Amino acid sequence: MSANLTPPADLDVRALRDLCEQLAREAGALIVDGRPDDLGVASTKSSATDVVTVMDQRSQDLVRERLAAARPRDAFYGEEEGGASGESGLTWVVDPIDGTVNYLYGLPAYSVSVAAVIGDPATDGAWRPVAGAVVNPVSGECYVAALGEGATLQVGDGPRRTLRVAEPESLGQTLVATGFGYEAGRRRWQAAILAEVLGDVRDIRRLGSAALDLCRVADGTVDAFYERGLNAWDLAAGWLVVTEAGGVVDDGTGADPRTAMVLAAAPRTHAALGARLRSAIAVVGEGD
Ligand code: IPD
Ligand code: CA
């Protein structure tokens, strides 16, 4: 870890984790309870299918307001409009609804992701998470992690279970989650890579929330996850949940996960799938 990404020794990562959890739970309740009957698309971003609902912005605004009161010296970086700079060196990275298309359609596979990070989350490779929480407000799953403190899953009011990644016997036995971006050219590349890899793994899952996909690697309900095109808000909390559960998260080449690629799995599976992805990229091309 480079020096400027080393958290200060007195950083209370447990307190940050607890705040991540509190905020993700509160925003999760808001998007379920406050969902309008006539929910529609409020606006679009990178393409016509990259949608924002009124609840994405409301969820982010809620978290942003809470943080402005509780942590006024920290910066804020969210998927929707309204960032803020800070002076503490800590930035809150928030995906107010990860899996917005599932949310729009009423598919119960979406989440709120809240993380505290050191460094600059707008720059690939220049930041690291120190605490995070991912909440699926429909299933009641709440994944949390703090640097050096492990990762847990609590479902509803149940006990907190310490998470450990699963290591399947071989690449052929590996259940792989992945996702697709919103731009047509990117998707064609992703489909071509998938066509290369599909015959060599157990099967593929496309669940629709990258933050939850990462947490599923951590709890062993999938064996691995890869995707090109993620942003810090998709990744920040889930990255830490996986590494604190004993997994490896990188860009497939040993460097920090970045927009070009995020690959997460238990160590041996990570190495095998990383090699398979690199050979797929050699056949398909680097893409954009
Ligand atoms: C998306 C989801 C999806 C992934 C996309 C993300 P959003 O986030 O995480 O699973 O495949 O790349 O953009 O738009 O629902 O917040
Ligand atoms: Ca997202």
Side-chain angles (χ1 to χ4, degrees):
M1 186 182 290
S2 59
N4 60 343
L5 295 181
T6 304
D10 60 352
L11 193 68
D12 187 348
V13 293
R14 293 185 195 196
L16 295 174
R17 173 197 61 199
D18 293 349
L19 184 53
C20 290
E21 174 176 344
Q22 182 193 318
L23 297 170
R25 283 186 182 278
E26 195 180 349
L30 174 78
I31 61 177
V32 170
D33 299 342
R35 179 191 169 108
D37 293 337
D38 61 347
L39 180 77
V41 174
S43 59
T44 59
K45 293 189 282 194
S46 59
S47 78
T49 52
D50 186 1
V51 298
V52 183
T53 73
V54 65
M55 296 309 291
D56 292 76
Q57 190 67 54
R58 278 188 204 157
S59 173
Q60 176 163 312
D61 290 347
L62 173 76
V63 176
R64 173 84 193 80
E65 268 168 39
R66 296 284 187 268
L67 286 168
R71 306 272 317 181
R73 295 183 63 250
D74 299 344
F76 183 87
Y77 184 68
E79 178 165 12
E80 311 307 338
E81 285 174 25
S85 54
E87 60 213 23
S88 67
L90 205 73
T91 300
W92 293 83
V93 178
V94 174
D95 195 332
I97 303 179
D98 186 50
T100 298
V101 174
N102 284 345
Y103 181 67
L104 185 67
Y105 278 74
L107 285 168
Y110 51 86
S111 60
V112 178
S113 174
V114 178
V117 317
I118 303 280
D120 173 15
T123 304
D124 273 343
W127 60 279
R128 298 277 167 88
V130 294
V134 177
V135 167
N136 176 337
V138 183
S139 67
E141 291 162 310
C142 175
Y143 297 88
V144 300
L147 190 65
E149 299 289 334
T152 63
L153 165 63
Q154 183 181 32
V155 184
D157 297 330
R160 286 185 197 266
R161 179 163 70 84
T162 299
L163 297 179
R164 208 67 210 157
V165 289
E167 189 81 91
E169 274 173 28
S170 64
L171 188 59
Q173 299 293 314
T174 299
L175 184 62
V176 180
T178 191
F180 305 105
Y182 292 113
E183 290 153 279
R186 165 74 49 83
R187 283 186 167 197
R188 287 196 189 95
W189 182 88
Q190 289 170 317
I193 295 293
L194 182 57
E196 282 289 315
V197 169
L198 188 53
D200 295 332
V201 298
R202 179 190 287 274
D203 205 346
I204 289 287
R205 293 291 179 271
R206 197 292 190 243
L207 299 166
S209 163
L212 283 176
D213 288 332
L214 285 161
C215 292
R216 295 208 169 286
V217 172
D219 77 7
T221 49
V222 300
D223 297 313
F225 167 71
Y226 77 89
E227 185 169 347
R228 170 171 286 189
L230 297 184
N231 292 291
W233 49 76
D234 303 304
L235 164 69
W239 172 5
L240 189 65
V241 172
V242 175
T243 53
E244 288 296 323
V248 178
V249 184
D250 74 359
D251 70 342
T253 74
D256 277 357
R258 61 197 61 237
T259 305
M261 184 59 74
V262 175
L263 171 60
R268 274 191 289 113
T269 303
H270 184 281
L273 184 57
R276 187 63 193 87
L277 284 169
R278 286 193 298 278
S279 64
I281 291 169
V283 171
V284 171
E286 288 294 329
D288 60 358

